[in-house]
Amino acid sequence: MRRARRLLGLAGRIAGANLRRPGLPLKLTFILTYVCDCRCAMCNIWKRRDKGGMTAEEVDRFFGSHTGFPWVNLSGGEIFAHPEIDGILAAVARTNRGIYLVDFPTTGQRTERIVPSVERLLGYSPPRVMVTVSLDGPGAKHDEIRGRRGAFENCLRTFQALRGLRAKNLFVYFGVTLSRFNRGELFAIFESVRERIPGIRYGDFHVNLAQESAHYYQNVGLGLPPEHEALRDIDEFLRRKGRSFHPVAFLESTYQRLLGKFLRTRRCPLPCAALHSSLFIDPHWTVFPCSMWDAPLGNLRDAGFSLDRLWNSAETLARRAEVVAEKCPHCWTPCEAYQTILANLGRTLPGC
């Protein structure tokens, strides 16, 4: 019953966001730490300093000050490298009333820590927990891209262990990021997994495109794969995966279907939802419009962890006006695209 109520609450807020700017965002992206297990070729987060990062007590205080956010995305770095990850997960799931979805990626390198932590999170009964285990190449190629020997084996081990929890509210996927470092490898990645995990399906993979960000990834110039190769692989992936009417499949397929428009124009293919339905919070509680735009709006520590004033401040509203006028850095990453799709259902639903 609680799960149904929260789903209805989320659906109502999504519907409202298609009509007007919500009083508070539907989705929060928390970057818990810049510390990472890997040294990825397409990302420089692991080079960043992390001193003075957020604590579990601060996360608990933040959620205790608000009535609830239906969707919380946690990321890093590697979130399971945070020394207080269990306390943070507890604060998100226990204190945040009204939550429907908690989702996060993981490098999958700390199986012995990841699996018990996820199991404890499930004990708080959030309606939906989604984990994406990052996988960027078959076998040794993944190890090379991630800069860590044994990364591929650890990734598969973590995926299988999480799937082994068999919780109804847990959904586990592989996440493949296409970049110039793994061009043409998408289906080799799938086959390398199928050899080890019989019964794996294309629907068990989330596929996205590498993006550049000055303030988050700090990877400007490392970048995107050649346009024709990315589109060819995405189109074939969609064909092999087939249609599905599951909401997650709808979001992913819509994101992938619109990648071609983004690659041709280098502009967001839908009116962006940054500062309308979502915002981005870094490990030091600095708020940004999104993961791509280096435009800090203030610091929640300085604001006593109250988001209300910052969300409706003149500076935030001015930045939102710039987003509407398409004066922001344009991107099409799932971290920003999924809530943008939900805020534009009239443009994206079949038949619209």
Side-chain angles (χ1 to χ4, degrees):
M1 181 63 73
R2 183 176 65 172
R3 182 180 302 181
R5 284 199 305 270
R6 291 188 181 184
L7 177 57
L8 286 172
L10 174 59
R13 294 188 65 179
I14 290 170
N18 277 259
L19 302 173
R20 67 186 70 84
R21 184 173 184 262
L24 284 173
L26 306 183
K27 179 189 176 186
L28 296 177
T29 293
F30 276 92
I31 307 305
L32 303 185
T33 179
Y34 292 134
V35 175
C36 193
D37 297 316
C38 296
R39 303 290 183 264
C40 299
M42 66 287 190
C43 168
N44 288 323
I45 289 176
W46 55 273
K47 296 180 180 180
R48 304 188 64 174
R49 298 182 65 184
D50 204 44
K51 188 176 181 180
M54 66 175 60
T55 67
E57 187 277 331
E58 290 175 328
V59 176
D60 189 82
R61 181 179 172 188
F62 173 81
F63 284 114
S65 301
H66 301 86
T67 57
F69 298 93
W71 182 358
V72 178
N73 167 244
L74 307 174
S75 195
E78 168 56 60
I79 71 167
F80 292 98
H82 196 296
E84 298 182 29
I85 183 59
D86 287 333
I88 289 173
L89 293 176
V92 170
R94 185 189 66 240
T95 311
N96 182 23
R97 299 181 300 278
I99 193 165
Y100 178 73
L101 170 63
V102 182
D103 76 297
F104 46 85
T106 176
T107 61
Q109 300 307 297
R110 301 179 181 227
T111 309
E112 291 76 12
R113 184 169 190 184
I114 294 167
V115 176
S117 291
V118 171
E119 196 165 20
R120 281 189 285 271
L121 169 62
L122 295 170
Y124 294 107
S125 300
R128 190 178 188 96
V129 174
M130 186 180 300
V131 185
T132 305
V133 184
S134 299
L135 181 62
D136 294 312
K141 184 68 173 180
H142 178 73
D143 293 5
E144 176 188 338
I145 292 171
R146 290 276 161 172
R148 178 172 176 139
R149 183 178 297 176
F152 178 81
E153 294 297 331
N154 292 336
C155 183
L156 264 60
R157 185 158 58 99
T158 296
F159 178 89
Q160 290 177 290
L162 289 172
R163 281 280 177 100
L165 294 178
R166 300 188 182 281
K168 291 183 178 180
N169 57 337
L170 175 63
F171 301 83
V172 187
Y173 301 90
F174 285 112
V176 180
T177 299
L178 301 181
S179 71
R180 65 184 178 89
F181 300 101
N182 61 0
R183 64 181 64 176
E185 297 276 11
L186 177 58
F187 301 106
I189 294 171
F190 177 80
E191 292 301 331
S192 71
V193 174
R194 187 162 64 174
E195 288 177 4
R196 301 286 298 279
I197 308 176
I200 203 76
R201 301 171 296 110
Y202 286 103
D204 295 317
F205 287 74
H206 287 179
V207 180
N208 67 89
L209 195 68
Q211 305 279 309
E212 296 181 352
S213 169
H215 86 86
Y216 178 35
Y217 301 126
Q218 295 192 342
N219 66 343
V220 175
L222 292 182
L224 301 174
E227 177 178 318
H228 68 281
E229 291 186 11
L231 288 178
R232 181 194 64 205
D233 285 351
I234 289 289
D235 287 345
E236 178 61 16
F237 177 79
L238 286 170
R239 187 191 70 78
R240 295 188 187 187
K241 186 174 70 169
R243 287 180 174 268
S244 170
F245 296 101
H246 190 281
V248 174
F250 161 73
L251 285 174
E252 185 184 24
S253 296
T254 302
Y255 160 77
Q256 292 165 347
R257 178 169 51 83
L258 292 171
L259 265 174
K261 185 176 181 181
F262 170 74
L263 287 171
R264 288 191 299 272
T265 66
R266 290 298 193 267
R267 301 183 73 80
C268 185
L270 291 171
C272 180
L275 298 181
H276 174 89
S277 299
S278 61
L279 54 72
F280 175 101
I281 302 168
D282 82 357
H284 305 102
W285 291 96
T286 301
V287 175
F288 293 83
C290 65
S291 56
M292 299 297 156
W293 195 3
D294 189 5
L297 297 166
N299 187 278
L300 285 167
R301 277 178 176 155
D302 297 338
F305 299 100
S306 176
L307 182 59
D308 303 73
R309 282 181 298 170
L310 191 151
W311 178 249
N312 293 299
S313 72
E315 184 175 1
T316 297
L317 295 176
R319 289 295 187 186
R320 174 59 194 164
E322 290 184 76
V323 174
V324 173
E326 299 186 359
K327 294 181 180 179
C328 61
H330 286 259
C331 72
W332 194 237
T333 170
C335 297
E336 309 301 331
Y338 285 6
Q339 58 267 29
T340 289
I341 292 167
L342 290 172
N344 290 276
L345 289 177
R347 300 168 183 253
T348 56
L349 285 173
C352 293

